[in-house]
Amino acid sequence: MVATLLSIMVVLLLLNFPMMIPLMAAPVIVLLLFFPAISPDLVIQQLKTGIEPEVLLAVPLFIFAADIMTTGKTANRLLDFIGAFVGHIRGGYAVTTAAACTLFGAISGSTQATVVAIGKPMRERLLKVGYKDPSAIALIINSSDVALLVPPSIGMIIYALVAPGTSVGELFLAGIIPGVLVFLCFATYSFFYAKIKNIPLADRASWKNRLKFTWKALLPLGFPVIIVGGIYTGYFTPTEAAGVSVLYALILEVLIFRSVHIKELPKISMSTGLVTSAVFVLVAGGQLFTWVISFARVPQMLTESVLGTDPSAIYVLIIVSLFFFVGCMFVDPIVVILILTPIFYPAAMDAGIDPIHLGIIVTFQAALGSATPPFGVDIFTASAVFNKSYLDVIRGTPPFIIMLFAISILLIAFEEISLAYLYFDDIYNYIVNFLKI
């Protein structure tokens, strides 16, 4: 049965059907062939069940906020702000790119939106100061994948949907440290790369300009503060934070910056609607796929054959990392998370792995696979955005893939990195008490 399921999916993909068709057609055909007594009504019920969770309301809202900001001036204000402080150091433009991708990822939650918003202006700046195109593009697409690790990561929302009892808010908080770790690693690499390649230094910005760019960036920097601060302090649920981010984006781009005209909102809304409908169809199909494989006891059979009877936590995490990494090299991360998480989640819980730690591993591998050949989704996004060939886009990626592999090993070996958010309370209370003094 498993062979039939996979064969149908592979054949339909090779015939160039969109992913939603194999995702739903394969389980339906398997039901007809192996479980003909099951009522077709159950298929419709499972499709509905997949998109009913309230947490999914956050997805279109975060996408809408990201679309508004991508159209507006938020990205450029962040670039000018970061560049004013680090642009003059060795590798400053590359560090600016990595930092801006991290910050915009913390605003948009979307890797593709980050590639578009940050990639376009920063690629031109990197080329002007002497970077080769493959290195510049590789830095952009790999830095953009931090958006899957930091709040409001859409990948984390999807993981929480299929991992029972997992808090989206805790996942958001847990992703901050790994996201910062990736940025620091890329920034260090950028410094030594610029030194070895003798990339010219940019002019140091005056403190007058720094203050000017800081003032202009204050309101855009409010996005991560609202999202993380609101969720952490309990003022917002993740869904409410998504709604507030849309309102904040509208106020900034339409009323204050006036970079988005109100007549453009229907077009932006249409773009958001198209992306959201694609995501929701995939989520519905993923629920049907998960239900069928669970009904057929595929997770138990697969985990027993791959993981054995009593695997250690480290071994489970290594296998999970390999499956998710390879899966995201070929398929959209949302689909991989929807399909593989229900398969490995029970085994991970039996091995004593914290569900938040597992979520960080899953989303990290999704980020790594998204920018890895042959079919990482961000590679094709960059190819379309920059009008460059596939080979030009992937030529500079190996150093970044190696760095991300190294960080992946650290995350697997040291659970404390993923669970460092548990100490945020102590830090928060210390700051509050200090301010009272």
Side-chain angles (χ1 to χ4, degrees), residues 204-244:
R204 182 190 294 268
S206 66
W207 276 105
K208 180 180 179 181
N209 281 335
R210 288 178 178 178
L211 290 173
K212 181 180 75 172
F213 290 132
T214 301
W215 175 254
K216 287 185 176 181
L218 278 179
L219 291 177
L221 289 171
F223 275 101
V225 174
I226 288 173
I227 294 167
V228 178
I231 292 172
Y232 179 70
T233 56
Y235 283 110
F236 309 135
T237 64
T239 304
E240 290 167 345
V244 171

Side-chain angles (χ1 to χ4, degrees), residues 51-62 157 238-240 242-243 280:
I51 56 175
E52 283 178 351
E54 184 181 340
V55 69
L56 282 177
L57 288 172
V59 173
L61 293 172
F62 279 131
I157 296 173
T239 304
E240 290 167 345
F280 273 48

Side-chain angles (χ1 to χ4, degrees), residues 76 79-80 93 96 121-130:
N76 285 327
L79 289 173
D80 291 338
Y93 277 109
T96 299
M122 277 314 301
R123 174 172 168 260
E124 295 176 5
R125 301 186 191 191
L126 289 167
L127 295 178
K128 279 183 180 178
V129 295

Side-chain angles (χ1 to χ4, degrees), residues 65-84 96-97 99-108 110 112-123 125 144 213 216-221 223 249 252-253 257 259-260:
D67 284 345
I68 294 169
M69 290 180 291
T70 303
T71 307
K73 292 183 176 179
T74 296
N76 285 327
R77 286 172 179 258
L78 290 175
L79 289 173
D80 291 338
F81 163 67
I82 298 168
T96 299
T97 303
C101 287
T102 302
L103 276 176
F104 196 81
I107 291 172
S108 68
S110 167
Q112 285 92 339
T114 306
V115 169
V116 174
I118 304 299
K120 280 185 175 180
M122 277 314 301
R123 174 172 168 260
R125 301 186 191 191
S144 296
F213 290 132
K216 287 185 176 181
L218 278 179
L219 291 177
L221 289 171
F223 275 101
L252 255 61
E253 301 292 0
F257 300 157
S259 55
V260 175

Side-chain angles (χ1 to χ4, degrees), residues 338-352:
L338 285 168
I339 292 176
L340 294 185
T341 300
I343 293 176
F344 289 105
Y345 184 82
M349 296 304 99
D350 290 342

Side-chain angles (χ1 to χ4, degrees), residues 147-158:
L148 276 174
L149 297 174
V150 294
S153 165
I154 293 173
M156 288 181 176
I157 296 173
I158 300 301

